[in-house]
Amino acid sequence: INLAALPLAPAPALPRYSSPRTGWLYRVGVFAARELRVTAREPGLMLSHIALSPVVAVVMGVVYYDLDVELTGIQNRTGLFLMAALYQALGGLSAVGMAVRGAAAAARERESGLSPPGAAALAAALIDAVCLRVAPAAVFTPIVLLLCGLVGGAKPTLTVWACLATVATVSASIGRTAWYVSRDAGHANLAAVMVLAVAVTFGGLLTRAGAATATADIMELQQASYIYHAWAAMMVSEFNGLPLLNFNPEGFGGGVKLSGRAYLSAYGLDPGELGVHLAALGGIAGVAVLLEVVA
């Protein structure tokens, strides 16, 4: 009997990812575990972020050391929060290099059918957020609050930490999305920097109070700026917790005691909208990650 000539029964066709062990969420977990192992084997970028965070925090702390409640200290708080958000956003641009590094493995998995659409991208975003965005912000935040004499306590500290970590996560997602679309690191970095530049332009130091109608209409774009909502949330958290501020400009002839709420109103900020800004920031982060997964 020629066994080679006998017909073989066709193997049953299994739909892709139909098994519970190869479902979409399962694959996200598999890819996340792999990303975590890769980060553990090659921790250089993560350690660089964590090591640089206290250095930058100390530099900012020296520049903005022990801010008082006089006019100078009030204005310096405004700049400090914007600079802290900008630093975290710039750090997020390192995600482009991580996407380039993992491009070959991702391409092989897509061709073999092992990677459901978006699973690897979501896993990369989650591990990147935890290891390279949340952890460095956790190191950075308490040092800045302590050296600069900002309002302490669990709630203000967690607010600043959440804002800075989310800003870094959004910036990283924008960079990776640009890479997935263009497949060119140069174009991806350029696109991410341009988005960041627009976000910083509307990042809080512009105000619609007393602006002309056309300018006020343009300022509506501010609501789409993740830098703005992070800055606004940190401002509201800080100034709601301050004692009466001494408004004493030169030549004014004595100081006037103002509440933190009065100063917030000069920037068009509502003292009761801390939750609104945090929710808007979280929403922008969710949209950024969703676009990354779809791309």
Side-chain angles (χ1 to χ4, degrees):
I1 299 174
N2 186 1
L3 297 178
L6 294 177
L8 298 177
L14 295 177
R16 275 184 172 181
Y17 323 123
S18 62
S19 168
R21 289 187 56 80
T22 56
W24 194 82
L25 290 179
Y26 176 80
R27 298 306 300 175
V28 170
V30 170
F31 289 133
R34 185 192 64 184
E35 289 289 333
L36 194 58
R37 289 193 298 270
V38 170
T39 302
R41 285 198 304 266
E42 302 177 18
L45 185 58
M46 179 182 69
L47 295 178
S48 296
H49 274 283
I50 294 175
L52 285 174
S53 290
V55 175
V56 177
V58 169
V59 171
M60 286 190 179
V62 170
V63 174
Y64 295 99
Y65 181 72
D66 197 17
L67 298 175
D68 55 31
V69 292
E70 304 289 331
L71 181 59
T72 302
I74 295 169
Q75 292 177 338
N76 281 341
R77 282 176 171 82
T78 304
L80 169 62
F81 289 133
L82 185 61
M83 290 300 103
L86 178 59
Y87 162 68
Q88 295 295 332
L90 289 172
L93 299 181
S94 65
V96 175
M98 297 287 288
V100 173
R101 187 180 69 178
R108 289 194 301 269
E109 286 159 357
R110 283 195 303 271
E111 292 172 358
S112 64
L114 295 176
S115 177
L122 179 57
L126 292 175
I127 299 304
D128 177 90
V130 172
C131 296
L132 279 80
R133 316 303 161 199
V134 174
V139 175
F140 177 88
T141 301
I143 298 175
V144 168
L145 294 182
L146 178 64
L147 291 179
C148 297
L150 302 182
V151 174
K155 184 177 179 180
T157 301
L158 289 175
T159 298
V160 174
W161 177 30
C163 289
L164 296 181
T166 306
V167 162
T169 300
V170 172
S171 183
S173 287
I174 292 171
R176 282 192 300 268
T177 301
W179 156 252
Y180 294 147
V181 172
S182 67
R183 295 295 170 178
D184 182 85
H187 287 104
N189 277 315
L190 178 62
V193 168
M194 291 300 101
V195 172
L196 175 58
V198 173
V200 172
T201 300
F202 294 97
L205 295 185
L206 291 175
T207 177
R208 71 188 70 192
T213 302
T215 304
D217 291 340
I218 293 174
M219 288 303 297
E220 292 301 326
L221 296 173
Q222 194 174 58
Q223 300 304 315
S225 169
Y226 62 101
I227 299 293
Y228 166 71
H229 288 293
W231 173 85
M234 291 187 287
M235 287 282 289
V236 171
S237 176
E238 172 71 11
F239 281 90
N240 269 341
L242 285 177
L244 290 177
L245 308 173
N246 188 24
F247 183 73
N248 56 346
E250 185 177 352
F252 188 75
V256 176
K257 295 294 184 180
L258 296 176
S259 67
R261 292 171 174 259
Y263 186 77
L264 289 173
S265 66
Y267 283 95
L269 298 176
D270 188 330
E273 291 189 347
L274 173 61
V276 173
H277 291 297
L278 290 175
L281 182 60
I284 292 172
V287 171
V289 173
L290 178 60
L291 291 175
E292 179 182 351
V293 171
V294 171

